[in-house]
Amino acid sequence: MARATGLEAVKLPLASDGQRIHGSVAREIGVAILAGRYAPGEILPGEIEFSEQLKVSRTAYREAVRILSAKGLVESRPKIGTRVSSRNRWNLLDPDILAWAFEAEPSESFIRDLFELRMVVEPAAAAFAAERRTALDIARMGHALEEMARHGLANEAGRAADQTFHLTILEATRNGPLITLSSSIAAAVTWTTIFKQRRQALPRDPIPVHRTLYETIVAGDPAAAHAAMTELVRLALADTEMSMKA
C-alpha cells in the first residue's frame, strides 16, 4: 500500500487489497475522513460530482460507499446523500480503518488509545496462552521469533513475523471472542511499529522482551506470561512516545 505521509511504504496482509477501483476509492475517501478533511455530519459531494472528481464510474463510487458504510464511516439516505457518521459509529478496530488512520497521520490520543487496548487484551491473552498452548502454537511462535531476530522489525518480513507471533498468542487462548480481535490487534502492533520508526530507528532491541514472553508461555506460567506481555506493551508505548517527541 503506497503511503503519502513519508512513512515507509508497506502493504499489510491484514488490510484489504485496495488495487480494485472501488477499493482504491474507498481508501481515498476513508483516509480523507480519518484525516479530518470531511467532518462527522458533513455531506459528501453528490455521486455524479464525486465520481467525476475521482475520475471513476458511478458504479465504482457506489461500491466504495458501501464499503465505507459497512465500516461505519458513512451513512447514505435517499434525498439526503452520503453523510460522514459520528465518530462513535466508526469501527476503529477494522484493519482497513487502522491502516487509513496511520496513513492520515494519527493523533497522539489515538495512538495511546491503541496501547490502552493492547494493555487490556494482550497480557490476559498471554496468560491464557500459557495455560492452553499446543505444541503447534509453540512451534509457530518459535519460528516467528527466529524470523523477527533474523530480519528485525525495520522491514516487512520482520513485521510479518511479529504479526504471526502476536496472532498465535491470541489463537492459543482458545477463546473465540478474543480470537476475533486477532487481526485488529496484529494490525495495531504493526502500524504502531512502523509509526515509531518513521523518523529514527528503534532505540532498543525488541527481541529480548519477545523471547522472555515466549519462554514464559513455553513454561506454562500464566502469571509470568501476563507480566512479560505487560512489560512488552509498556516498552513499546515508551518507544512510541519517544518517537512522537522526536
Side-chain angles (χ1 to χ4, degrees):
M1 181 181 296
R3 301 177 59 72
T5 61
L7 304 185
E8 178 185 346
V10 64
K11 179 182 175 183
L12 279 181
L14 293 173
S16 300
D17 187 350
Q19 296 304 309
R20 299 186 67 177
I21 292 175
H22 60 268
S24 296
V25 173
R27 169 184 161 273
E28 185 170 342
I29 299 172
V31 169
I33 291 171
L34 289 157
R37 294 198 292 275
Y38 297 111
E42 185 173 347
I43 303 293
L44 297 180
E47 179 181 302
I48 296 174
E49 178 186 349
F50 219 160
S51 58
E52 289 178 352
Q53 180 181 324
L54 297 173
K55 296 182 172 56
V56 297
S57 69
R58 293 170 64 181
T59 299
Y61 174 76
R62 284 194 294 269
E63 287 298 317
V65 168
R66 288 193 187 98
I67 292 171
L68 296 171
S69 180
K71 297 177 187 300
L73 290 179
V74 303
E75 49 189 329
S76 295
R77 294 184 180 178
K79 299 182 180 180
I80 295 177
T82 301
R83 185 195 306 271
V84 178
S85 302
S86 60
R87 188 178 174 84
N88 61 11
R89 297 191 61 183
W90 299 357
N91 182 3
L92 293 174
L93 291 182
D94 182 286
D96 284 332
I97 290 184
L98 284 171
W100 298 341
F102 277 88
E103 188 161 352
E105 188 70 17
S107 66
E108 291 185 11
S109 63
F110 181 69
I111 296 287
R112 292 192 173 93
D113 286 349
L114 285 179
F115 275 102
E116 285 184 359
L117 172 68
R118 290 187 60 189
M119 192 63 85
V120 168
V121 172
E122 292 192 272
F128 288 136
E131 294 178 325
R132 303 168 184 174
R133 81 287 184 276
T134 65
L136 180 58
D137 295 326
I138 290 171
R140 286 186 67 202
M141 289 177 58
H143 178 68
L145 191 58
E146 290 173 0
E147 291 295 290
M148 288 166 62
R150 183 157 72 95
H151 296 288
L153 298 184
N155 66 53
E156 192 171 349
R159 289 191 296 268
D162 192 26
Q163 280 186 350
T164 298
F165 184 85
H166 287 270
L167 281 168
T168 304
I169 291 172
L170 285 161
E171 290 168 359
T173 67
R174 304 293 181 266
N175 180 301
L178 266 178
I179 292 170
T180 63
L181 293 174
S182 60
S183 62
S184 300
I185 293 294
V189 168
T190 297
W191 284 116
T192 51
T193 298
I194 294 168
F195 180 79
K196 65 191 175 189
Q197 298 180 89
R198 71 199 193 285
R199 296 193 183 105
Q200 60 188 23
L202 286 173
R204 64 179 178 86
D205 181 2
I207 303 303
V209 70
H210 282 79
R211 185 170 288 113
T212 297
L213 172 59
Y214 169 73
E215 290 168 355
T216 64
I217 293 175
V218 171
D221 188 333
H226 189 286
M229 181 64 91
T230 298
E231 180 67 358
L232 187 155
V233 178
R234 185 190 71 79
L235 289 171
L237 174 58
D239 290 344
T240 304
E241 288 179 330
M242 185 180 300
S243 171
M244 288 190 291
K245 294 174 184 176

